[in-house]
Amino acid sequence: MRTMRRLLATPEGAVGLALLACLALVALFAPVLSPGDPLRIAGRALTTPFSDPAFPLGTDRLGRDVLAGLIHGARTSLAVGLAAAAAALAMGLCVGLAAGFAGGLLDEALMRMVDAFQIVPGFLLALAFVSVVGPSVPVVVLAIALGAWADPARLTRAQVLSVRERDYVAAARVAGMHPVEIAVREILPNVLPPVLALSAIIVAAAILTEAALSFLGLGDPNVVTWGSMIAEGRNVLRSSPWLSIFPGIALVLTVVGVYLLGEGLTRALSGRRAAA
């Protein structure tokens, strides 16, 4: 609760949390706000925004409702971003914790693997993986996570190296605790806050990567995404620019909200550590 109060006390945290809360509510109640399949043909093609009450944001080249696509696209963006970030953080925490706590040859082997993944840009790795395996939401999530886990792993290892020789860890060893128990119960809670602060960057990058893959036609064709909506609008950008503008604005607001929430969370956690 103290962390939440500190988060809301920061302008960045309050604005970011408000933006993401609105987006989460839209995604959660998407079937209620826009029932039915958002990919269905709902009306006349290329209806301009605010000209038909049935389609407030107009329709695309096939007559699909743009507002319905934005609402249901929020579910895809949030689901992919959060799932990819959770997978990347889980992988990074496990690898970084094992490398930093064990040391020796295991540390060297795991860090060389981290170096190998960091050499390849995350987007190119995701692009290659999806191109080989095939586009679907689980594959996109795994592809993004494979390109994003190395940074949390390196940060976790650095944090573990800074705390593994402290008195409470030495006391746990003297008490006869198993090394795995020491790592999970004594070390992990103390290295988690900086890694969680990094999660905002991973979520924002995951949302942008998913949009870029969908823009290139490598997203799941059975779900509507903001990236695919932007790609659909580029063919009629001169005559119907709203088809790309509206999903682009939604994408920008989402990434800005995640970034602001991450900044607020970092300040709140820093204030908690300073107070401690």
Side-chain angles (χ1 to χ4, degrees):
M1 294 300 295
R2 289 183 179 180
T3 302
M4 179 60 68
R5 286 197 294 268
R6 289 194 179 98
L7 176 64
L8 294 176
T10 62
E12 302 94 335
V15 173
L17 187 61
L19 283 174
L20 292 182
C22 292
L23 183 65
L25 288 175
V26 169
L28 184 63
F29 293 103
V32 178
L33 297 173
S34 178
D37 186 2
L39 295 175
R40 75 183 189 278
I41 297 176
R44 183 171 56 87
L46 296 178
T47 301
T48 57
F50 314 114
S51 63
D52 188 344
F55 308 107
L57 298 184
T59 59
D60 64 7
R61 294 189 304 163
L62 298 178
R64 296 175 294 194
D65 189 357
V66 174
L67 180 59
L70 289 178
I71 292 173
H72 286 268
R75 305 190 87 184
T76 305
S77 294
L78 278 184
V80 170
L82 294 176
L89 287 175
M91 295 168 61
L93 281 170
C94 291
V95 172
L97 192 61
F101 187 70
L105 292 177
L106 181 61
D107 182 20
E108 286 293 326
L110 291 177
M111 285 301 100
R112 297 297 76 76
M113 183 173 64
V114 170
D115 292 340
F117 273 87
Q118 283 189 315
I119 290 174
V120 182
F123 176 71
L124 292 182
L125 181 61
L127 184 65
F129 188 83
V130 175
S131 299
V132 172
V133 179
S136 67
V137 171
V139 171
V140 170
V141 169
L142 180 58
I144 296 173
L146 286 176
W149 70 273
D151 288 335
R154 190 171 290 279
L155 178 60
T156 301
R157 175 182 178 271
Q159 293 295 317
V160 171
L161 290 177
S162 68
V163 303
R164 70 177 184 180
E165 301 301 333
R166 294 186 180 178
D167 292 340
Y168 60 87
V169 178
R173 289 196 183 98
V174 172
M177 291 179 63
H178 192 276
V180 175
E181 188 177 5
I182 295 175
V184 174
R185 294 183 57 182
E186 302 294 334
I187 295 180
L188 182 59
N190 292 284
V191 305
L192 200 56
V195 181
L196 289 180
L198 184 64
S199 63
I201 299 175
I202 298 176
V203 172
I207 292 174
L208 289 175
T209 302
E210 185 278 327
L213 291 173
S214 297
F215 182 82
L216 296 175
L218 292 175
D220 192 333
N222 299 315
V223 297
V224 60
T225 66
W226 291 338
S228 63
M229 293 177 68
I230 295 173
E232 172 68 21
R234 66 180 172 179
N235 296 316
V236 288
L237 193 59
R238 291 180 180 271
S239 59
S240 306
W242 69 86
L243 296 180
S244 295
I245 289 176
F246 288 138
I249 291 175
L251 191 61
V252 169
L253 289 177
T254 303
V255 173
V256 169
V258 172
Y259 172 77
L260 291 177
L261 181 62
E263 287 292 309
L265 183 61
T266 300
R267 292 182 60 181
L269 293 174
S270 299
R272 189 182 71 174
R273 288 196 296 270

